Amino acid sequence: MILGIDIGGSFTDMLLYDGKNFFIHSTVPTSMENVKNEIEKIPDVDSIGIAIAAWLKEGKIMHAPNLPFKEFDLKLDVPYIMENDANCFAYAVSKIFNEKNLVGITVGTGIGMGIVIDGKIYHGMGLAGEIGHTFIGGDEPCVCGGKGHLECYFSGWSIRKRHGKEAKELFEKNKFPYDENFEIFCRALANVTLLFDPSIIAIGGRIGGRLSKEKLHKIYDFLPSQFQPEIKVIKDDYMVAKGACYMAEEMKNKL
Ligand SMILES: [Zn+2]
């Protein structure tokens, strides 16, 4: 059995995969202790895929502004692979929809982006796709230490800061703000489309997966008509963990 773990800024999801089907195991608030405890509860795991909301280079965490712990000190006695969460998301979308060129955007506490080119994740020097920390303007402080980044305008943490409420509550009350900050997000995705010309822009995560597809069509307003990516809202909260499972399976097959 393969275990896929999605360590997000607020919650950690665990999913089991037998090579055919996925089985939901648990969702716990993110902490190193919770992750360790949950792993211990699962017997017969032969490999683990860990998706994490962090900047990674060669499997090492370089920076993790949205995670509540500083040290990643998980000791595992089975083979594991660790990958950026948005990369796992994009990879799962690529596998499930059989598309080779796409971008996957996750909106939760922060914003992540995974780029799949010819069926493979594009890493650049390791950190490719950090759209959440691209400069938009202004001097609002960002969680990464910078200023005026996309996340300052549109992300779980900035929505909480601006509205005094969690995005989840705003969705439940039908009051999610499709305002000028949402438009900034759409403009950023149009820019991404012009750079990569993907067949799909897949949007997921606890906020992204609840956005209105119709409202997201705003992206097309900022694009020349020759660019027509399909906008897909992925409502599956386990897509990141699924990507981690696929990666662990491939790692295991190569061993
Ligand atoms: Zn930033």
Side-chain angles (χ1 to χ4, degrees):
M1 199 68 105
I2 294 165
L3 172 63
I5 308 175
D6 168 14
I7 304 177
S10 307
F11 294 98
T12 294
D13 297 319
M14 302 224 180
L15 199 64
L16 290 163
Y17 178 53
D18 65 3
K20 223 174 179 183
N21 297 302
F22 293 99
F23 309 93
I24 294 168
H25 178 69
S26 60
T27 296
V28 291
T30 294
S31 76
M32 212 63 235
E33 207 185 344
N34 281 348
V35 173
K36 283 177 187 169
N37 288 343
E38 288 302 304
I39 293 174
E40 271 172 28
K41 281 187 209 164
I42 311 167
D44 305 327
V45 167
D46 49 28
S47 60
I48 299 178
I50 301 168
I52 191 159
W55 300 5
L56 296 169
K57 259 189 181 177
E58 289 160 12
K60 286 203 176 68
I61 296 176
M62 309 301 288
H63 193 41
N66 285 318
L67 287 182
F69 49 82
K70 294 225 159 22
E71 286 286 309
F72 186 84
D73 62 347
L74 202 56
K75 304 267 183 294
L76 299 168
D77 47 15
V78 293
Y80 73 94
I81 184 166
M82 190 154 69
E83 179 57 88
N84 169 271
D85 56 352
N87 288 352
C88 289
F89 173 78
Y91 195 59
V93 174
S94 166
K95 294 284 262 188
I96 290 167
F97 295 99
N98 198 23
E99 288 283 344
K100 287 190 157 29
N101 293 292
L102 61 89
V103 293
I105 309 281
T106 55
V107 189
T109 308
I111 298 187
M113 176 165 88
I115 305 155
V116 176
I117 298 175
D118 290 335
K120 292 197 174 75
I121 293 169
Y122 176 74
H123 288 96
M125 295 304 287
L127 306 179
E130 284 302 333
I131 189 178
H133 304 283
T134 49
F135 183 68
I136 300 295
D139 53 12
E140 177 112 9
C142 183
V143 289
C144 72
K147 279 180 182 172
H149 294 174
L150 179 60
E151 281 192 14
C152 303
Y153 293 89
F154 195 77
S155 65
W157 68 259
S158 62
I159 287 169
R160 190 192 307 129
K161 193 173 161 189
R162 205 171 303 113
H163 296 269
K165 286 187 179 79
E166 294 295 332
K168 185 173 178 271
E169 201 184 325
L170 295 167
F171 278 118
E172 280 163 5
K173 291 187 174 154
N174 229 350
K175 283 188 175 159
F176 187 83
Y178 290 102
D179 55 6
E180 66 275 14
N181 295 305
F182 173 74
E183 195 168 310
I184 286 170
F185 173 66
C186 290
R187 214 183 297 151
L189 297 197
N191 291 343
V192 163
T193 303
L194 285 155
L195 290 175
F196 294 103
D197 193 16
S199 64
I200 292 177
I201 303 178
I203 300 159
R206 281 193 162 77
I207 294 175
R210 285 162 181 78
L211 291 173
S212 149
K213 187 174 165 180
E214 214 168 67
K215 301 272 189 199
L216 283 163
H217 281 183
K218 187 90 202 155
I219 295 168
Y220 296 129
D221 289 359
F222 304 111
L223 284 175
S225 60
Q226 291 83 356
F227 289 82
Q228 289 288 328
E230 183 189 348
I231 296 167
K232 255 189 200 306
V233 176
I234 307 286
K235 295 185 195 303
D236 182 351
D237 285 342
Y238 294 92
M239 209 62 168
V240 172
K242 284 179 182 175
C245 288
Y246 288 133
M247 283 183 197
E249 183 183 40
E250 272 160 35
M251 170 199 65
K252 204 178 86 178
N253 290 344
K254 279 186 202 155
L255 289 176

